[in-house]
Structures are given as structure tokens and as C-alpha cells.
Amino acid sequence: MSVYFYGCMTLDGYLAGRDHSLDWLHHCGTVEETGYEEFYRRMDVTVMGRRTFRELERLEHPERIYSTTRNYVFTHEKHPPREGFRFVSGDVPAFIQGLNQNENIWIIGGNTILAPLLDADMVDCMFVQIAPVLLGGGIPLFAQKERTRQFQLEEVRRYGQFAELICRRK
């Protein structure tokens, strides 16, 4: 099993604005300007939080966006069944450990899902895109417990206005 984070943050380290808005991201470029398609083809499972899922729900057909992966949404709220998505709760690292060991797992969204996995040293590779935007406040991408974790920088790419760092766990 390999656990990947793939996402974007601002120059000052925020994933979203104070209101959890991603408006800043949509003004920087498009997904076609990134390596997203290549990355997604290698994934078997996606895992996201409720707020990330809410952003997907704003789109016309969210079930089509991640149509080739099994998709899990962590939430404490009751949700009616939704085509293409399974709602789960509990301990994030334990859930990930219970998945098929031969699959690639993409952690989507922010620190609610990512932080416990970083704390458990379970993130194998990070694709972090940086957009040339300063929000001055908001929801930080990284909020794990205070402890040094080192990754090896493997590659730096440029996609339009985005810089992408690809780092593997040492």
C-alpha cells in the first residue's frame, strides 16, 4: 500500500480561506494545467473529509469526478447514500491500515485527514502544488503534531502558475 497526498496550497501555507473557500484556487489556473490526470490514473482509493466532499457536491455530477476509484468520506454526520461515495467515521490511520495493501490511496483535502496520517508516519509521498497567492489567514494545510518529519525532494515541476514539489518519505 502506498499513501499519497496530492493537493495545493498558497504561498503562505493555506489550503483554504477562513470560510473554507477555495475561490483563490479557481483563479490561479485549471486542472488541465497540472499533472492531475496522470496522478489520478495510478490511484485505487480516495479518502477525504466532509468539507472537501462539500466542495465536490457543488459540482454538477460529483460521482463522475472520481469514477475509477473507491471513494471514502470521513464524517460524523449522517448522510443519505450518494452514488460513488461511502461515508465512514472513526480513526483515520486504522481505517487506512484496513484497506487493501496493494492499493494506492490518495488523501484529498486538508489537515483533518492528513494530520493523523502524518502523525502516524503513514504518508509515503506528497505532491504539493503551490499557488502564487497570499491569503494572510485561513485553514493551514499542515497541522500535524509538532515533530520533525523528513521527506526527500524527488522532483520540482511547473504547471502554469503552479509549482509542484514531489517528496517521498525518507
Side-chain angles (χ1 to χ4, degrees):
M1 164 179 34
S2 290
V3 177
Y4 293 83
F5 171 78
Y6 179 99
C8 189
M9 69 179 185
T10 62
L11 275 174
D12 49 356
Y14 295 104
L15 174 68
R18 284 186 175 90
D19 60 354
H20 297 277
S21 168
L22 297 176
D23 292 342
W24 65 270
L25 179 59
H26 303 295
H27 296 289
C28 292
T30 64
V31 71
E32 292 80 22
E33 294 178 273
T34 68
Y36 169 80
E37 293 294 331
E38 174 189 343
F39 174 84
Y40 180 69
R41 279 193 293 273
R42 295 183 296 163
M43 296 299 114
D44 302 297
V45 174
T46 70
V47 177
M48 67 191 78
R50 176 182 43 88
R51 288 188 178 113
T52 300
F53 180 71
R54 281 189 184 156
E55 285 295 317
L56 285 176
E57 285 186 306
R58 294 173 55 192
L59 304 173
E60 191 171 332
H61 294 284
E63 70 280 357
R64 293 181 189 169
I65 296 171
Y66 302 123
S67 62
T68 63
T69 48
R70 286 190 333 278
N71 308 296
Y72 297 96
V73 179
F74 268 84
T75 182
H76 298 292
E77 299 174 358
K78 295 282 186 193
H79 276 275
R82 182 70 188 247
E83 182 183 349
F85 296 90
R86 294 183 64 196
F87 298 95
V88 297
S89 61
D91 181 69
V92 175
F95 177 82
I96 297 297
Q97 287 174 333
L99 294 173
N100 184 327
Q101 296 297 304
N102 297 318
E103 295 183 308
N104 288 326
I105 301 162
W106 174 19
I107 305 307
I108 303 174
N111 57 38
T112 303
I113 305 299
L114 183 59
L117 294 172
L118 286 169
D119 290 337
D121 290 321
M122 291 178 66
V123 178
D124 299 301
C125 186
M126 292 196 288
F127 287 65
V128 179
Q129 294 171 353
I130 302 169
V133 174
L134 296 171
L135 289 181
I139 311 302
L141 175 57
F142 298 108
Q144 71 281 357
K145 292 179 183 171
E146 194 170 314
R147 187 176 130 231
T148 301
R149 286 164 189 78
Q150 292 193 320
F151 286 79
Q152 179 71 39
L153 178 64
E154 287 193 345
E155 193 171 346
V156 178
R157 300 176 182 169
R158 180 179 178 172
Y159 295 108
Q161 288 296 300
F162 299 101
E164 181 177 79
L165 306 176
I166 301 171
C167 303
R168 287 215 178 267
R169 182 170 46 149
K170 281 187 161 186

